[in-house]
Amino acid sequence: MPTKYFNRDLSWLTFNERVLDEAANTQVPLVERIKFLSIYSSNLDEFYRVRMPVLRALKKVGEKNSNDIDADEQASILEQAGNMILGQQQKFGQILTTQLLPLLKAEKIHLLYNEALPANLEDKVTSYFLSEVLAFMQPVVLGTDTSFFPENNKLYFIVQLHEGDKEKLILLNIPSDELPRFFTVKADGGQFICFLDDIIRFNLNKLFKDAVVENCYSIKITRDAELDLKDEYAGELSDQLETQLKKRDLGLATRFLYQADIPLRILQLIIQHLDLQNATTVEGGRYHNLKDFFSFPVNDPALQYKPWPPINLGVPTTEPLTAVLAQKDMLVNTPYQSYETILRFFNEAANNPDVEEINVSLYRVASNSRIVNALISAAKNGKQVRVVVELKARFDEANNLKWAKKMKSAGVHIIYSVTALKVHAKIALVKTRKNDRVHYSGLLATGNFNEGTARFYTDHILLTTNPELLREVELLFIFLAKREKPSAANQIIFRHILVAQFNLQTRFLELIDREISNVKQGLPAGITIKMNNLEERVLIDKLYEASQAGVKISLIVRSICCLVPGVAGLSENITIKRIVDRYLEHGRVFIFNNNGDPDVFMGSADWMNRNVYHRIEVCFPVYDTAIKKQLMDMVDLQLNDNVQAVLIDGHLNQIRPGITGEQIQSQKEIYHLLNN
């Protein structure tokens, strides 16, 4: 019998393999296939930075983790993960070399990959090296007294050379953070693309003029991304975070990636001199950081996705947006629909003389955020602006810190969450006073208020003036301003919104119980949930209970999924689909049949341990009938996707459903649905 719960890390690795599969998908345009290689590579780097340290630590200490996995099982999981990654890396190389490179050549695009420079490119490449690359070369002799510390995920060469009869090993940086990774030349009626790595290799004799270069090997070191933030800290959280960010790229090495043909003697010397004894050693190819394929320098529209211009919602501009919302709620579905309405919401609030207060929670902010600029303008225009900035949003800490400082200097009241609790809720509230009456307008969303990611993350943003809903949002902002941890002493009774640490888990359990009760009475029952990750066992067990009672459950889970579907006597009434396509599936939608009168919720919360127990999350009901129908129609298209969806079975296999009738590619169909 299959296990009752899939391991979260092995499940995630199958998701990343699904991403890799898109690089092999012949229906995907060529340049987009190359970008899927980049996404796979970037995801894997993050896995080694974030999850591999956890797996190794659990194995080392020999203690049970939060899901009661002992050290022996943890060691087995670590071994399985390594084998899965090895197989995927081999698949990656096969897709690139046997499929994509020949297709590029057929388009007269020659990516020089594991091959010598053509003679007709040598002068141009050398000229580029001398004029642009040489300025960044910083060789370091590797030895027992080496104090140099290779940075996280930066590219380096180990250069083996001789000066007379003396061998030296040189650690040489590849400055891909300063220069483009690819150098392109038009020649012989086509385009030649050369890695920066190979430009340096070809010109090593010009850097080491008095030595004989014997060989050159590429390496990369990935370091632990965890920040050591103290829960009890007397100073500003921003000061503590800034100090820790400076140390992040100097964290413990978790992976040492090296070129496969490096001699064992030299490999052991590198491990010794760079203190890499505790890192996972991974044999790789000649090129690392292939996430740089995302900037692959080919701009032929015929080799890219056909554009889907964001749909204009046609919101009247003859009256304020709040007046439009007073008549009915609105839903913006990114990236299918234009983000302009969201920007307009903040811009109008910043300049409306009747607006007294603006409250918003920010988790990941665009690098040049127009929303933050609107909040700064609002503060300078005399509004009371309170912003909950989550400084602990992984890999966005520095950007969030930058914007927090800028807002604070403009008069915005900045609120940081307590160290042990992340605020992941996506909420905004505007309070207007007119004729001595207070009016509310607000946004509740499944994704960040970020106009950058809104171009490729599928999310849903509800714009509403519902006073009952928004008064509860106001209560939550008041609580967050106190910077307290939720406890029995400070609980708030929410009747509309679902808030993690307060009522979110309890309310979802009640909703599932109602479906169980209905099916036992012979009434219509069913549960449909779309989310990014599913791990939390109390909620999983409740879904198992519903399945055993006969409730049909349809899940769309993009990444981590610990629930095992299709097991007789446990989960035979549960199906799970995973969709990977041109946009990143990110929205969370929860639909409960409720005897034929569906209750629909959206929100920021996945069903992960971190979301349920360690974050402030907000899910919210959809009351507007038309919006509810639109959401259900979109989810229904995804449930019927037979092109980009795969089914997850009880052994964590990903199975193509097969096309027996009409092809349904849900993202394409959703775009058409919203465009009509």
Side-chain angles (χ1 to χ4, degrees):
M1 176 180 172
T3 179
K4 189 178 179 183
Y5 307 103
F6 290 136
N7 173 264
R8 60 165 289 174
D9 295 298
L10 300 183
S11 172
W12 181 89
L13 285 169
T14 67
F15 157 69
N16 207 30
E17 181 158 24
R18 177 68 191 86
V19 172
L20 185 58
D21 286 343
E22 284 302 281
N25 186 348
T26 58
Q27 301 305 306
V28 174
L30 180 55
V31 170
E32 308 297 345
R33 293 172 67 179
I34 293 170
K35 286 183 179 180
F36 275 109
L37 291 181
S38 161
I39 296 166
Y40 168 85
S41 182
S42 177
N43 288 348
L44 188 60
D45 275 351
E46 183 171 336
F47 181 81
Y48 270 100
R49 293 202 73 185
V50 176
R51 289 303 305 169
M52 196 57 83
V54 176
L55 289 172
R56 290 174 63 86
L58 287 168
K59 176 191 174 189
K60 187 175 181 180
V61 298
E63 296 177 355
K64 289 189 175 183
N65 67 15
S66 60
N67 285 333
D68 296 325
I69 298 174
D70 61 28
D72 289 341
E73 189 174 350
Q74 200 68 38
S76 173
I77 290 167
L78 192 60
E79 182 181 1
Q80 290 178 69
N83 291 336
M84 289 174 72
I85 292 168
L86 177 61
Q88 290 171 12
Q89 295 282 55
Q90 292 170 344
K91 185 176 181 179
F92 183 109
Q94 183 268 334
I95 292 169
L96 178 60
T97 57
T98 68
Q99 298 180 41
L100 302 185
L101 292 183
L103 288 170
L104 285 170
K105 285 183 180 178
E107 298 290 340
K108 297 186 177 179
I109 302 166
H110 190 155
L111 173 63
L112 298 169
Y113 189 84
N114 287 331
E115 56 186 296
L117 280 173
N120 61 339
L121 300 186
E122 291 180 359
D123 286 346
K124 289 182 179 179
V125 163
T126 299
S127 176
Y128 180 69
F129 175 82
L130 295 172
S131 62
E132 302 290 339
V133 182
L134 189 57
F136 298 99
M137 293 288 89
Q138 299 166 9
V140 175
V141 177
L142 202 61
T144 54
D145 59 347
T146 300
S147 59
F148 181 78
F149 201 88
E151 291 185 56
N152 172 68
N153 279 344
K154 296 289 180 68
L155 299 174
Y156 295 93
F157 280 137
I158 295 294
V159 183
Q160 180 188 12
L161 53 80
H162 278 87
E163 291 180 348
D165 59 355
K166 186 178 180 182
E167 182 188 65
K168 282 187 177 180
L169 295 179
I170 306 293
L171 188 69
L172 181 64
N173 61 309
I174 301 172
S176 59
D177 52 337
E178 302 286 351
L179 297 168
R181 184 71 186 282
F182 302 103
F183 178 68
T184 184
V185 178
K186 300 285 187 180
D188 298 336
Q191 180 181 2
F192 287 82
I193 299 171
C194 181
F195 279 89
L196 175 63
D197 320 33
D198 288 332
I199 294 173
I200 297 172
R201 285 179 189 268
F202 184 74
N203 288 284
L204 286 173
N205 61 331
K206 292 181 173 55
L207 185 61
F208 304 107
K209 295 178 180 178
D210 299 324
V212 176
V213 176
E214 298 288 348
N215 225 319
C216 177
Y217 309 99
S218 60
I219 67 166
K220 182 178 85 166
I221 296 166
T222 302
R223 299 190 179 278
D224 187 350
E226 191 63 32
L227 298 177
D228 184 23
L229 296 174
K230 304 302 181 185
D231 198 17
E232 302 299 332
Y233 181 71
E236 282 280 337
L237 174 62
S238 56
D239 295 337
Q240 186 187 180
L241 183 76
E242 206 161 12
T243 300
Q244 289 297 319
L245 283 174
K246 292 174 182 176
K247 298 178 181 179
R248 168 178 272 171
D249 283 344
L250 306 179
L252 293 173
T254 59
R255 175 179 60 167
F256 172 40
L257 186 60
Y258 61 90
Q259 189 172 319
D261 59 350
I262 190 169
L264 180 60
R265 174 182 64 86
I266 293 177
L267 185 66
Q268 290 172 338
L269 285 172
I270 297 167
I271 291 171
Q272 176 188 340
H273 294 323
L274 298 181
D275 193 22
L276 302 174
Q277 290 86 349
N278 293 321
T280 301
T281 54
V282 180
E283 183 180 286
R286 181 183 174 101
Y287 309 99
H288 308 314
N289 271 11
L290 292 180
K291 61 186 177 184
D292 291 338
F293 272 140
F294 209 82
S295 58
F296 193 64
V298 173
N299 296 311
D300 184 350
L303 303 180
Q304 299 170 320
Y305 283 128
K306 182 181 177 181
W308 292 349
I311 301 161
N312 192 311
L313 289 175
V315 183
T317 57
T318 53
E319 56 184 335
L321 183 58
T322 50
V324 178
L325 294 177
Q327 299 169 39
K328 63 175 183 177
D329 289 354
M330 291 178 56
L331 184 68
V332 175
N333 304 286
T334 64
Y336 307 105
Q337 294 174 314
S338 171
Y339 204 69
E340 289 178 0
T341 305
I342 308 305
L343 299 176
R344 178 180 168 185
F345 177 88
F346 288 103
N347 293 343
E348 287 189 4
N351 291 280
N352 182 348
D354 296 326
V355 168
E356 289 185 342
E357 294 180 21
I358 302 174
N359 298 271
V360 62
S361 62
L362 297 177
Y363 191 77
R364 297 191 192 278
V365 185
S367 57
N368 187 23
S369 175
R370 285 175 284 172
I371 291 172
V372 172
N373 280 310
L375 296 172
I376 289 170
S377 295
K380 291 185 175 181
N381 291 341
K383 320 295 181 192
Q384 191 172 40
V385 183
R386 298 186 188 90
V387 181
V388 180
V389 180
E390 183 47 78
L391 291 183
K392 304 182 296 295
R394 184 176 279 128
F395 304 129
D396 278 83
E397 300 97 340
N399 186 54
N400 288 2
L401 186 61
K402 175 195 78 173
W403 281 116
K405 287 182 175 180
K406 192 170 183 178
M407 285 188 285
K408 191 173 184 179
S409 67
V412 175
H413 178 49
I414 299 297
I415 301 163
Y416 301 132
S417 66
V418 294
T419 305
L421 187 72
K422 282 187 180 180
V423 177
H424 191 249
K426 325 297 185 185
I427 49 176
L429 177 69
V430 172
K431 201 171 177 179
T432 305
R433 186 178 298 275
K434 195 167 186 177
N435 300 325
D436 290 327
R437 294 193 56 163
V438 173
H439 302 273
Y440 295 95
S441 57
L443 307 179
L444 298 99
T446 65
N448 297 300
F449 298 129
N450 184 320
E451 60 268 36
T453 55
R455 292 182 289 109
F456 51 91
Y457 279 35
T458 71
D459 271 307
H460 312 287
I461 308 159
L462 180 70
L463 298 88
T464 184
T465 56
N466 183 312
E468 294 179 326
L469 207 62
L470 295 177
R471 283 192 192 108
E472 293 193 350
V473 172
E474 183 178 33
L475 285 175
L476 181 57
F477 274 118
I478 292 169
F479 173 81
L480 293 174
K482 297 176 183 177
R483 299 194 71 245
E484 296 177 353
K485 294 180 184 178
S487 67
N490 58 18
Q491 285 288 300
I492 302 169
I493 297 174
F494 294 108
R495 302 190 185 280
H496 296 275
I497 62 175
L498 284 61
V499 183
Q501 313 296 309
F502 292 91
N503 67 336
L504 183 141
Q505 185 187 54
T506 303
R507 185 74 179 107
F508 276 131
L509 291 172
E510 290 172 353
L511 289 162
I512 299 171
D513 275 332
R514 188 181 62 189
E515 299 305 312
I516 294 172
S517 176
N518 284 345
V519 80
K520 287 180 177 178
Q521 296 176 61
L523 300 173
I527 299 170
T528 300
I529 300 174
K530 177 190 173 187
M531 64 179 75
N532 300 330
N533 301 294
L534 174 56
E535 174 200 31
E536 200 280 321
R537 291 190 174 183
V538 172
L539 288 162
I540 288 176
D541 285 347
K542 184 58 72 172
L543 290 175
Y544 284 152
E545 182 184 338
S547 172
Q548 290 167 329
V551 179
K552 297 293 184 183
I553 302 170
S554 299
L555 304 178
I556 303 170
V557 185
R558 187 196 73 209
S559 303
I560 296 167
C561 182
C562 297
L563 185 150
V564 182
V567 178
L570 179 70
S571 59
E572 65 263 48
N573 287 308
I574 303 177
T575 60
I576 304 174
K577 278 195 170 183
R578 170 181 283 154
I579 297 172
V580 174
D581 204 344
R582 67 190 290 172
Y583 297 141
L584 180 76
E585 292 294 338
H586 193 255
R588 293 95 170 177
V589 181
F590 310 84
I591 303 169
F592 301 90
N593 183 278
N594 188 31
N595 189 22
D597 183 20
D599 278 335
V600 178
F601 297 81
M602 299 187 290
S604 63
D606 288 319
W607 286 1
M608 295 281 286
N609 293 332
R610 65 190 183 199
N611 303 94
V612 174
Y613 301 116
H614 305 294
R615 292 184 176 184
I616 295 292
E617 304 275 5
V618 172
C619 291
F620 48 94
V622 179
Y623 292 135
D624 183 279
T625 306
I627 291 176
K628 188 184 291 189
K629 182 180 184 308
Q630 185 184 82
L631 275 169
M632 292 174 67
D633 286 346
M634 293 169 67
V635 172
D636 191 57
L637 284 169
Q638 297 203 300
L639 290 172
N640 288 286
D641 191 316
N642 56 12
V643 177
Q644 295 299 129
V646 294
L647 286 164
I648 299 174
D649 73 4
H651 301 279
L652 207 50
N653 298 311
Q654 302 182 95
I655 302 166
R656 293 277 182 180
I659 301 172
T660 55
E662 178 188 1
Q663 284 194 358
I664 299 174
Q665 185 175 350
S666 58
Q667 290 191 357
K668 181 179 179 181
E669 296 301 327
I670 288 170
Y671 182 75
H672 292 324
L673 173 73
L674 297 174
N675 209 10
N676 291 328

